[in-house]
Amino acid sequence: MNSVLQRLSAALRHRVVPVTVLVFLSVALATSAAGGSNEAAVAADPAARIRQLREEVAHHDELYHRQAQPEISDYDYDQLKAELSALEKQNPDAVAKLGRSPVRPVGDDRTAGFASYRHRERMLSLEKTYSEADLRAFHARLVRQLGRGKLEYVIEPKFDGLAISVTYDHGRLVRVATRGNGVEGDDVTANALTIRSLPHTLEIRDGAAGPATVEVRGECYMSFAEFRRINEERIEQGEPGFSSPRNLAAGTLKSLDPTEVGRRRLDVVFYGLGAIDPVSAAPASQSALLAQFRAWGLPTVEDFKVVDSIETAWTAVQEFGRRRPDLPYPTDGAVVKLNPVDEQRELGATDEAPRWAIAYKFAPERATTRLKAITLQVGRTGVITPVAELEPVRLGGATIARATLHNAAEISRRDLRIGDFVVIERTGEVIPAIVGIDHSHRDPASTPYVFPAICPDCGRPLARREGEVAWRCTNAACPAQLKRRLQHFASAECVGIKGLGDATIAALVDQGRVHGIADLYRLNRGDFTAVPGRDGAKSSETVLAAIAASKRADTWRFVSGFGIPGVGTRAARALAARFGALDRLASVDETALKNTNVIGADTARAVAQFFRDPAQVQMLADLKSLGVMPRTADTNGRLAGKVIVLTGSFEKFTRSHATELIEAAGGHVAEDVSRHTAFLAVGTNPGAKLGRAQALDVPVIDEAKLLELLGAAGGE
Ligand code: IVH
């Protein structure tokens, strides 16, 4: 019996989580070493436990901050650090004997390959807690220190990404750095410039005085949608998926391959201030700072709340916790900040964190259940993904019956066995993961899991490519692969055939009516007579109409639908915008593809190979003869190949409408003015882009001229 696990599950179910229980659980889960730790042993020799924890924390620090590839959940990592810090505080003698802790609370994200950048003002971390009592104690301390009972707080989401500091000199972005050790960070300017939501200039209204220099602090993160997109693609390519959007964001911003960075969408949000010159330009409160960021055109915290008591602060934190699973961006808590800057100054900061703010982190929702079986899913490129089939269990308001297992190596590394009791955890939108095994409940007769040698669908042997972790089914005719390929092609992100769902596709493949994409366009009513749910005349007509309509889908939708390795919707859009029709794209060689700079070398090779493959040449010819005529962007349009920048607001259209019209005319809308800009289109209340265009001699046009260029006379 593992009482620790039982106590933990019970505690989490009732949402009362005694810290000691969590600390010991984290150890039980984090260290597979037999025995782990127990209270009596720690009391007898705290130095030994401190030494062990220092080693473990240093190991996980390296994995989390430098490699962005942690082995344990963020929660377990936090608990290890909390246990270490508590033990060190309680045992000064042991610390004196062992020497100062080599573990730094701020962590250090600096990695080889980047120049160092010294922050003008230090980048601090935040005090963190998982307990309401600590939050109230924080407030009581502030009341005591400030000698005031009524305090105003701002409650913000705690974004789960990588802290960055962006310097603007006279309104122009000059540097982006990571936190590093708080004093010096990595200069990641080149990578960060690819982030579309990061403005290259501050919008400072004509006549207004902007700061000469300002360091704005915020978070670089990845949305759940982008995380899912990239992970699905990686897994299809036989590579291990990333464990969380945070780690993927950190890995991307720290990537030494610029094309890789360009192909992944990162976002930024700003919530803090570093140095500012003149100092008088600093807003007087946190809420005023957020408003200033918005006025400068910086993406900032939108979901914040100003409250005037710890009660309302706690309510806001909990309310935020409830909304958290529905947010499109990853968060791991809420930050409570004292609002007035003069009071913040009065309190100051410790070596690591300001005394005027605290992060309340949400404990992950966990549950214990039994692993009933491991099933294998076959992807569209044949990659086999193992899935944990669980005894259904309630977790975070949902019933969970499956969890991700990543790959075969992961199963054997953890020696996961069928019948094991496992602890599962769910964070945000991410599919639940197994974070621990209850070894005390293991059936002594159980045996290590043996990964199957054959495809669960077609029965052919599985193979592993050199350097890849994934097993693949190499049978090009494997029905499971074909179904996945067709599902992908028909999905809303690709050509979007409504009504052609997974079950219909599966039935059509199983009955031998469809052997490839082109066959979809050969289907007639008779093919549906044996398809359950689609056998009615009306129902099959609806699907056939949707298939017919898809013949005129945009070119990029087909390009993306073909499932070429590395070509997701973004690359597909870029390729279609660059080459127009499918025929044209199919005839471009690898070098020309690479030279577009919209895809990396590996993807360029994959695209060229795909269009050279005789089976695909035949497929394209078949599509054509079956009347498939994808819509192309206008490469001969009036604005073909032209980069346009917009500033200010327009009378006749919104920005997104203007962007659509420009793209339809073959142009491209960029965020900021550069030497490559063809025109700056200026509406009313233009921002700083106007000055920059003038400085660079970029032609400036007004709304009437833009309309004329678009051929939309008068904007009707
Ligand atoms: S304020 C001096 N606000 O959390 C105060 N930090 O664990 C510095 N973070 O280093 C931070 N969301 O990377 C602040 N709304 C928010 C935040 C936030 C995420 C991160 C930030 C910080 C870390 C501390």
Side-chain angles (χ1 to χ4, degrees), residues 57 238 253 454 497 531 604:
V57 170
L253 194 65
I454 57 165
I497 306 176
V531 175

Side-chain angles (χ1 to χ4, degrees), residues 87-101:
L87 269 184
E88 288 189 343
K89 268 201 199 101
Q90 287 156 14
N91 296 283
D93 295 349
V95 174
K97 202 169 85 189
L98 290 167
R100 217 170 102 82
S101 181

Side-chain angles (χ1 to χ4, degrees), residues 124-126 128 156-159 163 179 219 271 335 337 354:
L124 297 172
S125 183
L126 283 172
K128 300 178 191 83
E156 296 174 6
K158 185 174 183 308
F159 299 91
R179 181 169 58 198
E219 203 84 355
Y271 47 64
V335 187
K337 298 176 178 178

Side-chain angles (χ1 to χ4, degrees), residues 371-661:
L371 176 66
K372 288 196 305 188
I374 293 175
T375 52
L376 304 184
Q377 279 183 351
V378 188
R380 63 187 147 85
T381 59
V383 167
I384 306 288
T385 311
V387 176
E389 304 289 343
L390 307 166
E391 201 79 68
V393 63
R394 293 290 293 174
L395 179 61
T399 300
I400 307 296
R402 305 182 109 193
T404 41
L405 283 174
H406 305 294
N407 50 58
E410 180 80 11
I411 300 173
S412 54
R413 184 177 71 80
R414 304 170 96 173
D415 184 22
L416 192 61
R417 301 179 183 191
I418 312 281
D420 272 352
F421 281 86
V422 293
V423 181
I424 57 167
E425 175 180 310
R426 203 166 83 126
T427 27
E429 277 197 22
V430 185
I431 311 162
I434 292 179
V435 293
I437 302 170
D438 178 358
H439 287 276
S440 66
H441 269 77
R442 174 170 280 174
D443 177 353
S446 74
T447 51
Y449 177 73
V450 180
F451 205 81
I454 57 165
C455 171
D457 200 74
C458 68
R460 298 281 194 86
L462 300 180
R464 192 148 53 173
R465 290 186 193 163
E466 210 179 304
E468 285 191 355
V469 291
W471 287 93
R472 284 174 192 267
C473 165
T474 52
N475 172 15
C478 171
Q481 286 183 50
L482 175 60
K483 289 173 195 168
R484 297 292 104 71
R485 281 202 297 273
L486 295 168
Q487 283 161 3
H488 172 74
F489 178 79
S491 69
E493 291 83 54
C494 299
V495 299
I497 306 176
K498 280 216 185 81
L500 194 62
D502 294 0
T504 307
I505 290 175
L508 290 168
V509 170
D510 290 340
Q511 290 161 17
R513 310 220 173 228
V514 175
H515 303 276
I517 287 172
D519 287 345
L520 293 176
Y521 297 96
R522 294 191 173 100
L523 289 171
N524 55 46
R525 207 197 280 177
D527 292 312
F528 288 90
T529 46
V531 175
R534 290 277 166 229
D535 41 356
K538 194 154 166 253
S539 175
S540 57
E541 283 309 329
T542 322
V543 186
L544 287 169
I547 293 175
S550 76
K551 290 180 177 177
R552 290 285 290 140
D554 292 325
T555 303
W556 70 263
R557 292 185 169 275
F558 282 86
V559 177
S560 164
F562 294 152
I564 307 168
V567 182
T569 50
R570 270 231 270 168
R573 276 175 189 272
L575 289 172
R578 179 76 180 70
F579 297 107
L582 269 185
D583 287 350
R584 177 92 203 287
L585 174 62
S587 65
V588 188
D589 69 14
E590 190 181 322
T591 320
L593 285 164
K594 207 168 64 201
N595 288 344
T596 58
N597 284 331
V598 296
I599 51 174
D602 289 351
T603 307
R605 188 168 323 120
V607 173
Q609 252 170 27
F610 178 88
F611 287 112
R612 241 184 288 129
D613 179 341
Q616 309 305 351
V617 172
Q618 185 61 50
M619 188 242 329
L620 288 181
D622 289 350
L623 287 179
K624 209 177 219 173
S625 68
L626 290 160
V628 172
M629 292 236 308
R631 264 201 307 245
T632 51
D634 192 353
T635 48
N636 296 314
R638 292 161 179 255
L639 297 179
K642 297 247 188 315
V643 180
I644 319 265
V645 176
L646 307 170
T647 184
S649 45
F650 299 93
E651 222 174 274
K652 299 263 167 36
F653 35 46
T654 60
R655 259 178 198 232
S656 60
H657 185 206
T659 306
E660 261 173 41
L661 292 174

